[in-house]
Each structure stands twice: as C-alpha cells, then as structure tokens.
Amino acid sequence: MTQTPIAISLYEQDYLLWIEDTVNKLRSRNIEGLDFENLIEEIEDLGRSDKRELENRLVELLEHILKRNYVNMTDCYRGWVESIIKQRIGIRKLLKNSPSLKPYFSQVFDEAYTDALKIVRNGYPQFEFPDTWPFSCDIEAMLNVDFWEE
C-alpha cells in the first residue's frame, strides 16, 4: 500500500521564510495567497506576548520592592533598586507602545503580587512579608514611587 505524503505548509517548514512570504503578499495585496489561519494565530500571539511580558515585569518589580522594603540586607539594596528601575523602564516602554495594556496591569496585579510573595517567602523565610500589598497599586505610583523612602 502506498502512502500519500502529508503536505507540510511553509509555516511548518521554515517559519522565517513564511514570515517573509506573508509580508511580501501583504505588501502586494495578494490576499488570495495568504495563509490566514497561521497569520491570525501569529497576530493573536503578539497580544499575548505583550501581556506575558507585562506580567513577568510586574512580578519582578513587586519582588524587588518587597525585598528592598522587608529584607534587611543593605549590601543587596543597590542591586534590588537597579532591578526596580529596569523593570519600571521596561513597563513604561511596553505601555507607551501598547497603551491598551494599562487596564490589564490592574487586572493582573493581585496575581502578580501572589507570585512575587511566593518567591520572596521562599528565598527569605527568616523575614516577614505582608499578605496583601501595603502600598498604592496605582500604575503611576508603581512606576514612580520609591516605597522604601516613605
């Protein structure tokens, strides 16, 4: 019995070539030749990627703010503050490029805090951390206020 070979799409064979081909087809308005299913999936993934990046940056921001406020290890302060600055810059840039992510920041804040709390409690079991976020969770405060100086 002869098996019929399964057709493998360009998307599955060579992702970069598929992107180049798709861009060329879009530029030439060749709608008939577009691989709509994979194009739709890729565009959806772009939005999910921005959301994941925001969540990851927020967890790390919260983690280092907690460490800076509650872990009495002065030799580490500089590194934690540097990380806080980097995450704030990254979040600002992300929100500048995708302002519609601002409401998402509030939606994922509590979950991000829970994740950050797990990380710091695991790494520093000898220190006490608050069960709930003790500071303003307003996006402007999170991106600008040095809570350890209050």
Side-chain angles (χ1 to χ4, degrees):
M1 180 169 181
T2 308
Q3 286 187 324
T4 308
I6 298 172
I8 299 175
S9 71
L10 182 58
Y11 181 82
E12 295 166 332
Q13 289 177 356
D14 189 330
Y15 181 71
L16 180 58
L17 186 58
W18 175 82
I19 289 174
E20 292 169 352
D21 181 62
T22 301
V23 168
N24 288 333
K25 287 175 180 171
L26 287 168
R27 283 195 174 118
S28 66
R29 309 293 192 259
N30 179 5
I31 294 173
E32 296 300 318
L34 283 175
D35 175 0
F36 279 101
E37 292 306 312
N38 287 314
L39 181 58
I40 290 166
E41 184 178 316
E42 289 299 318
I43 291 172
E44 287 175 338
D45 281 347
L46 290 173
R48 285 192 291 269
S49 174
D50 281 355
K51 286 180 175 181
R52 277 191 305 271
E53 181 179 351
L54 179 62
E55 289 175 43
N56 291 336
R57 287 186 177 279
L58 181 56
V59 168
E60 190 162 334
L61 175 63
L62 291 167
E63 174 190 344
H64 287 98
I65 290 173
L66 283 169
K67 288 177 186 178
R68 178 57 185 85
N69 277 285
Y70 297 99
V71 177
N72 188 15
M73 297 174 73
T74 56
D75 290 347
C76 298
Y77 288 176
R78 181 176 173 197
W80 294 331
V81 171
E82 187 174 296
S83 177
I84 290 165
I85 292 167
K86 286 178 182 177
Q87 295 312 315
R88 286 176 168 174
I89 289 169
I91 291 171
R92 274 192 207 98
K93 287 181 179 182
L94 190 58
L95 295 176
K96 179 181 177 186
N97 291 330
S98 298
S100 63
L101 281 173
K102 284 184 180 180
Y104 190 70
F105 183 95
S106 299
Q107 291 171 13
V108 298
F109 188 90
D110 290 338
E111 183 179 342
Y113 183 70
T114 299
D115 292 345
L117 200 53
K118 285 178 189 173
I119 293 166
V120 296
R121 283 182 171 163
N122 181 64
Y124 301 91
Q126 70 274 32
F127 294 98
E128 290 291 321
F129 298 96
D131 290 331
T132 58
W133 182 249
F135 309 108
S136 172
C137 58
D138 173 75
I139 195 167
E140 291 305 316
M142 289 301 303
L143 296 179
N144 296 296
V145 175
D146 294 336
F147 299 107
W148 53 93
E149 292 181 359
E150 291 186 338

